[in-house]
């Protein structure tokens, strides 16, 4: 069998090929994961993205006609619509709640500090502590899988690894309400990563018809029961989450393509883009409805979009050098952030979190108190600055009236016409702080000392906060860190070049892109997201420049943050490229030399139970014999299918002789949906099945349930080719057999082109027309609702 052994919390999850029988007939290359035990005790299991073409599947396919295929296509588009609507509404709910909690918190605090700063500090700390406590309590007591951003887990799922609990209904609820508490409580984290996980949970729950545990399910939605179909739905959910978080539909599509998915098809592209467009429509409609004041403190700034279209209009060739410096800084600080969070998270998991949920709650509360003390206390130590000359056209008031937050915050200032630049970015919501750092026409609003102080302290807080038992995203903290040092570089450029058209906010945007590129190592999707949230296409070449530089610098030190965290969590990802050492290895060498556990075609029930109890393998070759008595491998049977057969007992027989699965002895008593395992659940366990002594003496004919056409490779094939085949096809098992003795035929490209030649031209014309119409329609909808 293939298994992954995790030596430490920080060691790379290595692919270890399991032992396979030394028989001359066949060898089995089992799934890359099997059932593993992570460091925290959770189960990790491979997904069956391969179509199991057993008799039940073939019988169902034979009964389905073209009308049913059209029905499935319509249902897939309908599900894409539902995913977009539900994810958009979830994002609206989270943003309204966060903005109202934060707005109420700052309004109360600002009103109290007019009388007493000590009382204001106490109230500010208590409000943040209550919000963070509610978040960590929900996670520890109700939905442990909702902690963190969830992107590494979803990336693992789309790579073929199912982690128990990541897509359950309680995880969705914990993610939504936990994000409200952690972000509203002022911690150095964001809600964008959790929104990706939220979209994936919504897509998964819709795909399986809801939650059976909480009796929130419907048989009408239980259409897609295979892991392959669920994978496509979860991909749509991931793109919808990014589109909802950043109001960036195109960026959501590219994020799903570049970062989380391992398999991509052109048909899926259409549905993912449609889902993202629906999200943009829902978010746009919600923001229009909230403009009338029906959403409390929530306003046009509730969703991330920092419009700097009125900023710097042009740049000179001499500015490319400091912009490249920003890319280098982003790569260095991003890779350092990844390494520090890896060390601290490893220490936290090995020493703190093993002591129980109380320690997790105490830890999160202490981090909340520390964050509140720094964000409130440091601005008190900063000397206020006089307000600049007011510009009525800018619409910016200095200072802000008491009880208000935004630009030019009057915090602990002795004079009326003064503001505290450190409080403007520290004692503020993260979205407004970023908007202030990105703002144009605000030269000299911040001092270099304040920006440097904020950079050091917020960087440290982001490192410490990452890994606590709350939903946490890294996008917004990364943008805040990057925009801070980007604005510092911008201040130097303004002072050195002395040109009137240079804006510090432009360099803040480039700094944000560079840090995200240096930490997350995304390029195309991140570039589009930054352009969409800044609403300025002129910065596209500059963003591309800093992203390429920051990614190159970061790759020289370590992997991206999602890959690092996936390794820490024991998620065995199959990366896009095989390891260099695989070039000199063959499939047989990777398999090992142990004997494979196999079943005969007709097997005794007691033997099945004994084998399933004695090992954790997920696939078993089935051996039959020819008339001359030679052994013959007839297929592969899955562990999950055997458990379903044992639990139902309807396929037990008294005779040890094989029955005819084609209708001779008996008809099949199962459909393919019965063998589908619920998403993110443990499924059936051998210990849950109770059999009598009479049951154990009966037999099972495995022929109707096995996959008669598993993928096969010769034993001397290079492991590099095996790796690419395994990953690109989304396999769980792969047979390794001796070199065949004869060839039955040869398939070429023309053998696969079986279209009706008379209708080829007509079909191509219709397909082109439909695609063109859909493209123009989607583009019109996106353009209309985006701006």
């Amino acid at each position: 069998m293939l298994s992954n052994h995790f030596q430490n919390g920080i060691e790379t999850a290595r692919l270890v090929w399991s032992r396979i029988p030394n028989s001359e007939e066949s060898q089995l290359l089992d799934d890359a994961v099997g059932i593993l035990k992570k460091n925290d005790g959770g189960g990790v299991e491979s997904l069956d993205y391969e179509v199991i073409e057993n008799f039940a599947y073939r019988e169902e396919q034979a009964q389905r006609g073209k009308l049913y295929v059209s029905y499935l296509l319509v249902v897939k588009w309908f599900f894409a619509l539902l995913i977009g609507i539900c994810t958009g509404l979830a994002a609206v709910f989270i943003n309204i709640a966060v903005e109202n909690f934060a707005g109420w918190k700052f309004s109360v605090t600002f009103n109290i500090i007019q009388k007493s700063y000590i009382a204001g500090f106490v109230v500010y700390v208590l409000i943040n502590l209550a919000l963070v406590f509610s978040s960590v309590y929900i996670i520890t007591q109700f939905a442990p899988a909702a902690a963190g951003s969830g992107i590494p887990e979803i990336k693992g799922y789309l790579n073929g690894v199912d982690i128990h609990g990541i897509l359950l209904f309680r995880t969705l609820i914990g993610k939504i309400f936990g994000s409200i508490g952690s972000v509203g409580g002022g911690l150095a984290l964001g809600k964008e990563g959790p929104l990706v996980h939220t979209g994936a949970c919504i897509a998964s729950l819709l795909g399986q018809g809801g939650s059976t545990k909480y009796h929130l399910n419907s048989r009408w939605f239980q259409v897609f029961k295979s892991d392959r179909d669920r994978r496509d739905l979860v991909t749509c959910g991931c793109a919808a989450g990014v589109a909802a978080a950043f109001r960036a539909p195109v960026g959501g599509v590219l994020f799903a393509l570049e970062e989380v998915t391992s398999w991509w098809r052109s048909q899926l592209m259409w549905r993912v883009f449609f889902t993202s467009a629906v999200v943009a429509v829902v978010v746009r409609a919600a923001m229009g409805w909230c403009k009338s004041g029906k959403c409390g403190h929530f306003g046009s700034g509730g969703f991330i979009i920092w419009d700097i279209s009125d900023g710097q209009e042009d740049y000179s060739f001499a500015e490319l050098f400091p912009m490249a410096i920003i890319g280098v800084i982003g790569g260095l600080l991003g890779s350092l952030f990844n390494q520090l969070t890896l060390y601290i998270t490893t220490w936290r998991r090995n020493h703190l979190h093993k002591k129980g949920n109380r320690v997790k709650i105490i830890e999160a509360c202490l981090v909340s108190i520390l964050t509140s003390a720094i964000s409130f206390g440091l601005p008190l130590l900063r000397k206020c600055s006089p307000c600049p000359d007011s510009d009525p056209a800018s619409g910016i008031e200095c200072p802000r009236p008491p009880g208000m937050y935004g630009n030019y915050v009057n915090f602990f200032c002795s004079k009326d016409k003064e503001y505290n630049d450190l409080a403007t970015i520290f004692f503020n919501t993260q979205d407004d702080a970023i908007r202030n750092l990105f703002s144009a026409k605000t030269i000299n609003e911040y001092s270099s000392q304040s920006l440097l102080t904020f950079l050091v302290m917020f960087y440290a807080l982001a490192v410490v906060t990452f890994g606590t038992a709350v939903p946490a995203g890294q996008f917004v903290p990364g943008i805040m860190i990057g925009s801070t040092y980007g604005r510092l570089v911008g201040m130097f450029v303004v002072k050195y070049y002395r040109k009137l058209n240079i804006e510090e906010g432009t360099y803040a945007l480039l700094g944000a892109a560079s840090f995200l590129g240096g930490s997350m190592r995304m390029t195309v999707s991140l570039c589009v997201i930054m352009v969409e949230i800044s609403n300025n296409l002129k910065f596209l070449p500059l963003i591309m420049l800093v992203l390429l530089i920051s990614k190159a610098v970061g790759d020289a030190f370590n992997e991206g943050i999602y890959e690092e965290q996936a390794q820490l969590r024991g998620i065995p990802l199959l990366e896009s490229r095989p390891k260099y050492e695989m070039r000199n290895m063959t499939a047989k060498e990777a398999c090992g030399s142990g004997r494979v556990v196999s079943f005969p075609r007709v097997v005794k029930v007691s033997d099945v139970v004994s084998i399933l109890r004695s090992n954790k393998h997920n696939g078993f070759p089935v051996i039959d014999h020819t008339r001359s008595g030679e052994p013959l491998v007839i297929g592969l049977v899955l562990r999950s299918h055997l458990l379903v057969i044992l639990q139902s007992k309807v396929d037990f027989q008294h005779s040890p002789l094989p029955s005819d699965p084609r209708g001779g002895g008996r008809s099949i008593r199962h459909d393919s949906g019965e063998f589908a395992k619920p998403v993110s659940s443990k499924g059936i366990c051998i210990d849950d099945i109770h059999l009598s002594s009479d049951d154990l003496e009966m037999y099972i004919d495995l022929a109707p349930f096995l996959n008669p056409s598993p993928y096969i490779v010769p034993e001397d094939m290079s492991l590099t080719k095996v790796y690419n085949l395994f990953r690109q096809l989304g396999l769980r098992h792969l047979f390794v057999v001796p070199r065949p003795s004869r060839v039955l035929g040869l398939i070429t490209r023309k053998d696969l082109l079986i279209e009706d030649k008379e209708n080829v031209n007509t079909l191509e014309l219709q397909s082109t027309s439909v695609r063109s119409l859909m493209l123009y329609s989607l583009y019109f909808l996106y353009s209309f609702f985006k701006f």
Side-chain angles (χ1 to χ4, degrees):
M1 297 286 296
L2 262 158
S3 60
N4 277 342
H5 301 279
F6 302 96
Q7 299 177 352
N8 295 327
I10 61 172
E11 272 197 19
T12 304
R14 298 176 303 175
L15 185 64
V16 181
W17 304 98
S18 70
R19 295 181 297 175
I20 297 184
N22 246 349
S23 63
E24 297 179 358
E25 295 78 29
S26 70
Q27 289 184 309
L28 175 67
L29 189 59
D30 197 11
D31 53 296
V33 183
I35 297 179
L36 305 174
K37 292 296 180 181
K38 294 197 300 181
N39 293 337
D40 58 357
V44 181
E45 185 177 355
S46 288
L47 293 166
D48 294 305
Y49 287 155
E50 178 188 358
V51 177
I52 307 301
E53 297 179 340
N54 54 22
F55 183 69
Y57 172 82
R58 295 185 178 186
E59 193 175 58
E60 286 187 2
Q61 294 299 314
Q63 296 174 358
R64 295 174 178 177
K66 293 184 178 181
L67 182 61
Y68 187 82
V69 175
S70 301
Y71 164 75
L72 285 181
L73 182 61
V74 172
V75 171
K76 288 180 179 180
W77 283 95
F78 177 68
F79 269 66
L81 174 66
L82 288 181
I83 293 170
I85 293 175
C86 294
T87 305
L89 292 177
V92 169
F93 174 75
I94 292 174
N95 278 275
I96 290 178
V98 168
E99 287 291 311
N100 276 281
F101 275 122
W104 172 75
K105 174 182 65 179
F106 283 111
S107 297
V108 171
T109 304
F110 271 110
N111 288 330
I112 294 177
I113 63 177
Q114 304 302 317
K115 301 178 181 178
S116 172
Y117 275 88
I118 297 178
F121 171 72
V122 173
V123 171
Y124 179 72
V125 171
L126 290 178
I127 293 176
N128 283 338
L129 185 61
L131 290 172
V132 173
F133 176 80
S134 66
S135 175
V136 68
Y137 187 83
I138 290 173
I139 298 304
T140 55
Q141 304 298 325
F142 181 67
S149 69
I151 294 180
E153 289 82 359
I154 299 303
K155 186 174 181 178
Y157 181 88
L158 295 177
N159 192 259
V161 182
D162 188 15
I163 300 98
H164 173 61
I166 63 169
L167 296 175
L168 299 180
F169 178 73
R170 68 170 180 266
T171 303
L172 172 63
I173 299 301
K175 209 73 177 182
I176 292 175
F177 289 95
S179 299
I180 294 173
S182 61
V183 178
L187 294 180
L189 44 81
K191 57 183 177 293
E192 290 67 37
L195 268 176
V196 176
H197 195 177
T198 299
C201 290
I202 291 174
S204 176
L205 290 170
L206 288 175
Q208 64 181 357
S211 174
T212 55
K213 180 178 180 180
Y214 298 98
H215 305 288
L216 299 173
N217 59 327
S218 173
R219 296 183 59 185
W220 295 99
F221 290 96
Q222 296 177 3
V223 180
F224 305 108
K225 298 181 180 180
S226 68
D227 291 335
R228 176 186 291 264
D229 291 329
R230 290 169 178 169
R231 175 188 66 189
D232 293 346
L233 293 177
V234 171
T235 303
C236 293
C238 291
V242 176
F246 296 101
R247 289 176 58 193
V250 180
V253 176
L254 295 177
F255 176 83
L257 172 61
E258 179 183 8
E259 183 62 23
V260 295
T261 59
S262 299
W263 302 280
W264 194 263
R265 295 176 291 113
S266 59
Q267 299 91 335
L268 182 60
M269 170 76 79
W270 281 100
R271 294 203 301 273
V272 170
F273 184 78
F274 174 71
T275 305
S276 300
V278 172
V279 171
V281 173
V282 173
V283 171
R284 179 70 177 179
M287 292 187 64
W289 184 71
C290 288
K291 284 183 178 179
S292 59
K294 299 178 181 178
C295 302
H297 290 273
F298 179 83
S300 60
F303 278 90
I304 295 178
I305 182 165
W306 301 290
D307 191 347
I308 55 175
S309 56
D310 58 343
Q312 185 171 336
E313 297 182 355
D314 197 7
Y315 50 90
S316 62
F317 182 79
E319 291 182 69
L320 294 180
F321 178 72
M323 292 176 181
I325 295 297
I326 289 179
V328 175
I329 297 175
L332 294 175
L333 291 182
S335 59
L336 178 62
F337 182 84
N338 294 355
Q339 203 64 34
L340 291 176
T341 54
L342 183 63
Y343 288 151
I344 293 179
T345 306
T346 302
W347 177 84
R348 178 183 283 124
R349 290 168 63 91
N350 294 337
H351 296 85
L352 288 183
H353 290 180
K354 286 185 175 181
K355 298 180 180 180
N357 291 332
R358 288 186 179 180
V359 175
K360 296 179 181 179
I361 295 175
I362 294 173
E363 178 201 19
C365 292
L366 290 177
V367 172
S368 173
I369 295 173
L370 176 64
T371 304
S372 301
I374 291 177
S375 61
F376 191 98
L378 283 182
L380 295 177
L381 305 177
R382 177 63 186 166
K383 183 180 179 181
C384 293
S385 304
C387 289
D389 297 335
S390 59
D391 183 8
S394 64
I396 299 177
E397 185 178 0
C398 179
R400 292 279 183 176
M404 298 295 292
Y405 54 97
N407 282 81
Y408 301 108
V409 174
N410 187 307
F411 187 82
F412 202 64
C413 298
S414 58
K415 299 180 180 180
D416 293 336
K417 286 296 183 179
E418 289 184 339
Y419 72 98
N420 192 317
D421 59 344
L422 190 56
T424 302
I425 51 178
F426 232 142
F427 198 68
N428 216 330
T429 63
Q430 293 183 4
D431 289 353
D432 280 328
I434 295 172
R435 190 174 292 107
N436 296 340
L437 291 171
F438 281 3
S439 59
K441 309 296 188 295
T442 55
I443 296 178
N444 300 324
E445 178 181 357
Y446 304 100
S447 64
S448 58
Q449 294 88 347
S450 296
L451 291 178
L452 190 60
T453 302
F454 177 79
L455 174 62
V456 173
M457 298 307 301
F458 192 83
Y459 191 96
L461 287 175
V463 171
V464 173
T465 306
F466 187 89
T468 53
V470 294
Q474 287 76 53
F475 276 100
V476 167
I479 292 175
M480 291 192 67
I481 294 171
S483 58
T484 304
Y485 68 73
R487 186 139 188 147
L488 277 170
V489 175
M491 293 173 61
F492 170 78
V493 173
V494 170
K495 183 178 180 180
Y496 181 78
Y497 287 95
R498 297 180 181 179
K499 293 183 178 180
L500 298 177
N501 65 329
I502 297 179
E503 288 287 351
E504 297 173 2
T506 300
Y507 287 83
L509 172 67
L510 298 180
S514 69
F515 185 84
L516 293 178
S519 177
M520 300 179 182
R521 311 293 160 79
M522 296 186 296
T523 53
V524 179
S525 59
L526 189 57
C527 182
V528 174
I529 289 174
M530 296 304 295
V531 170
E532 288 187 282
I533 65 177
S534 63
N535 196 21
N536 196 328
L537 193 60
K538 298 177 182 178
F539 297 149
L540 179 61
L542 305 180
I543 296 175
M544 294 173 63
L545 173 67
V546 297
L547 281 175
L548 290 173
I549 296 175
S550 62
K551 175 176 169 53
V553 173
D555 286 339
F557 294 96
N558 51 30
E559 294 183 292
I561 188 169
Y562 297 137
E563 288 76 15
E564 295 274 3
Q565 295 302 314
Q567 294 170 9
L568 178 62
R569 288 168 170 78
I571 303 174
L573 296 178
L574 293 179
E575 299 297 338
S576 58
R577 293 185 299 177
K579 300 295 183 181
Y580 180 81
E581 294 79 5
M582 293 184 179
R583 298 181 180 182
N584 300 321
M585 298 178 64
T586 62
K588 183 178 181 179
E589 294 174 350
C591 288
S593 57
R595 291 192 58 85
V596 133
V597 180
S598 61
F599 288 112
R601 172 177 173 173
V602 181
V603 60
K604 200 173 184 179
V605 174
S606 59
D607 295 336
V608 176
V609 174
S610 176
I611 291 176
L612 294 181
R613 289 185 183 277
S614 62
N615 63 76
K616 297 296 183 179
H617 300 339
N618 289 289
F620 303 90
V622 179
I623 310 297
D624 200 2
H625 293 81
T626 63
R627 294 181 179 180
S628 60
E630 295 181 359
L632 177 67
V633 180
I634 61 173
L636 173 74
V637 63
L638 296 179
R639 181 188 188 92
S640 58
H641 291 190
L642 291 173
L643 293 174
V644 171
I645 297 170
L646 292 177
Q647 187 181 53
S648 66
K649 302 180 183 180
V650 297
D651 300 289
F652 293 177
Q653 64 184 38
H654 294 281
S655 174
L657 299 177
S659 61
D660 184 8
R662 296 294 178 179
R666 58 178 174 81
S667 59
I668 191 73
R669 297 182 177 90
H670 300 274
D671 57 51
S672 59
E674 295 181 44
F675 297 109
K677 182 178 75 70
V679 175
S680 296
S681 69
K682 296 180 180 178
I684 306 174
C685 178
I686 185 63
D687 296 327
D688 300 331
I689 299 174
H690 303 284
L691 300 172
S692 64
S693 57
D694 293 336
D695 294 333
L696 294 175
E697 296 299 322
M698 299 186 74
Y699 296 87
I700 304 174
D701 185 2
L702 299 179
F705 311 102
L706 57 82
N707 182 5
S709 55
Y711 287 92
I712 297 174
V713 296
E715 59 183 348
D716 56 350
M717 176 182 283
S718 69
L719 193 56
T720 300
K721 295 180 67 175
V722 172
Y723 185 97
N724 292 329
L725 179 68
F726 197 96
R727 185 184 186 278
Q728 292 174 8
L729 294 179
L731 302 181
R732 185 177 186 179
H733 307 91
L734 190 63
F735 277 126
V736 179
V737 299
R739 174 65 62 177
S741 59
R742 61 193 183 96
V743 178
L744 296 180
L746 187 67
I747 294 179
T748 62
R749 181 183 297 269
K750 66 180 183 62
D751 298 316
L752 301 177
L753 302 176
I754 56 175
E755 297 176 324
D756 187 357
K757 295 182 180 180
E758 296 179 358
N759 298 326
V760 168
N761 295 332
T762 304
L763 290 175
E764 288 182 351
L765 180 61
Q766 292 177 351
S767 177
T768 303
S769 301
V770 171
R771 290 187 178 185
S772 300
L773 179 60
M774 291 180 63
L775 179 61
Y776 287 126
S777 301
L778 290 174
Y779 180 78
F780 172 78
L781 286 174
Y782 167 68
S783 302
F784 179 79
F785 288 101
K786 175 64 179 178
F787 302 106

